[in-house]
Amino acid sequence: MGRSLTILILDSNPADAHRCVDLLRDQNGIEADFQRVENEQEYRCALSEKDWSLVLSDYAISGFSAIEALRLLQEAKLDVPFIIVTSTIDEETAVNCIKAGASDYILKEQLRRLAPAVKHALAALEDRRARQRLEDQLRHAQNLEMMGMLSAGVAHDFNNFLAAISGSIEVIAPHVADEERPQRALRTIEKAIHQASDITHALLTFGHRVPAHKHRIDLREVVDESTGLLRHLLPDNINIDVQTEKRNTFWVFADENQLQQVLMNLAINAKDAMPEGGTLTFTLASRAMNDAASACYQESNHENAIVRLTVSDTGEGMSEEVKSRALEPFFTTKKRHRGTGLGLAIVHGILENHNASLRIESALGEGSQFFIDIPMSVDS
């Protein structure tokens, strides 16, 4: 197995605890950082002290049972394999332990079973976590799709109201041409209409209702043009760095304006994350497409490769909760009136419309990285 585990052992016999750890090391090559406890109070305290990989428990310890220890583990919402290692246990009790959630039970006189039992329990845990991640991703994608449809519907209706207001202004304006206050009020209304139109356009983009005018473009040129503009728009305390592998061109089939909008939105987010300044880096590289991705694009006009565009900053970074919600429309950590919360939702919508993927890596105090993979276009 060749891995390092943190093991919590609930057993009143120090020798038995060491035997378990030595056996795991000898049979599976496990390096174990373990802690032994021998009563309920020590066990309760230990549960919150470390990120445990595994719990090994005798069945009965100083008036405290494995079933009670398992219940406390579950109440703490710790998804950790729990294996009972005991001297005597009847079959009915063993079955009840498994029903209660124990991963396995091992008799101490048959301790050679411990290593394969641990290996199986850890593999089952990894499968369970992988399945949960896939379910979370599917649920998130479904939520985004529903919100995209709702956003597009609202935007269409809202555009109709804006058109009615705009038409009414055209009717009123000639009748108050010589009156300063009504003219000022009409200009204010027109400005509000333009701002509202920008929001509805953003909603339509997120909902995939804005047509993309795609053609074969060099992504290097898009990045160069966008970063050239950003150097004039961003504060002087933000340094822009462009890094590319030794390749002349990065051809993709895309809407140039929409990809520029992606870069601008990511740059604005990065600026807000670096109030004291920092570095914004754009990296271009080509990568071979894996078999799963290649199958998705086999009807498309692409090489068996992708262009990876990475946009990274040295800003404040995101917590896990913020990162998990970053693509939700209207979700923002900015102060009121400082942002609509549509920036990353629009980025996600545009990239989906380009058969491109987006992955975010970030941690508080460690900046953020946005990995964009776009199928590479074949030569004309």
Side-chain angles (χ1 to χ4, degrees), residues 40-235:
E40 179 179 356
Q41 183 177 357
E42 290 179 356
Y43 177 76
R44 284 178 178 272
C45 293
L47 281 181
S48 59
E49 287 179 357
K50 290 184 180 179
D51 185 13
W52 299 107
S53 309
L54 174 70
V55 176
L56 303 179
S57 174
D58 201 348
Y59 183 73
I61 318 97
S62 304
F64 185 50
S65 74
I67 291 292
E68 292 172 303
L70 177 58
R71 177 180 54 79
L72 290 175
L73 185 73
Q74 293 167 340
E75 287 178 355
K77 299 188 183 304
L78 298 176
D79 189 9
V80 178
F82 185 98
I83 297 178
I84 298 172
V85 184
T86 187
S87 297
T88 56
I89 187 170
D90 61 78
E91 187 174 344
E92 182 180 355
T93 303
V95 169
N96 288 336
C97 290
I98 298 299
K99 287 182 177 179
S103 302
D104 208 337
Y105 68 93
I106 308 293
L107 295 177
K108 289 184 177 180
E109 57 266 30
Q110 298 177 349
L111 208 55
R112 64 184 181 279
R113 286 193 56 240
L114 179 60
V118 168
K119 184 176 181 180
H120 176 76
L122 293 174
L125 174 64
E126 185 55 39
D127 287 345
R128 190 162 61 249
R129 288 177 174 173
R131 186 168 57 251
Q132 184 61 53
R133 286 194 295 269
L134 289 173
E135 290 174 356
D136 290 343
Q137 289 170 5
L138 176 60
R139 186 161 48 250
H140 185 63
Q142 290 172 334
N143 288 340
L144 286 176
E145 180 63 23
M146 290 174 60
M147 296 183 78
M149 294 172 62
L150 176 62
S151 298
V154 169
H156 276 300
D157 290 342
F158 198 51
N159 267 339
N160 292 334
F161 296 138
L162 293 177
I165 296 171
S166 183
S168 299
I169 290 176
E170 291 178 3
V171 172
I172 296 172
H175 298 285
V176 293
D178 299 326
E179 299 180 44
E180 178 64 22
R181 290 184 64 188
Q183 280 292 328
R184 233 181 6 251
L186 290 179
R187 286 195 294 271
T188 301
I189 295 171
E190 286 179 331
K191 183 178 179 181
I193 290 173
H194 288 307
Q195 291 173 335
S197 293
D198 289 341
I199 294 175
T200 58
H201 187 274
L203 288 170
L204 289 169
T205 300
F206 171 71
H208 306 169
R209 300 302 189 271
V210 174
H213 302 289
K214 299 178 184 177
H215 58 283
R216 193 165 178 268
I217 60 174
D218 181 4
L219 191 54
R220 180 196 287 269
E221 292 184 0
V222 176
V223 171
D224 287 343
E225 290 177 9
S226 298
T227 52
L229 179 61
L230 286 169
R231 285 189 170 92
H232 297 288
L233 295 177
L234 296 181

Side-chain angles (χ1 to χ4, degrees), residues 9-25 34-38 56 58 85 87 108 111 114:
I9 301 178
L10 180 56
D11 198 316
S12 57
N13 189 331
D16 285 348
H18 281 280
R19 280 178 62 211
C20 289
V21 174
D22 290 342
L23 187 145
L24 291 175
R25 182 182 296 114
F34 79 96
Q35 178 179 342
R36 185 182 66 86
V37 295
E38 54 184 47
L56 303 179
D58 201 348
V85 184
S87 297
K108 289 184 177 180
L111 208 55
L114 179 60

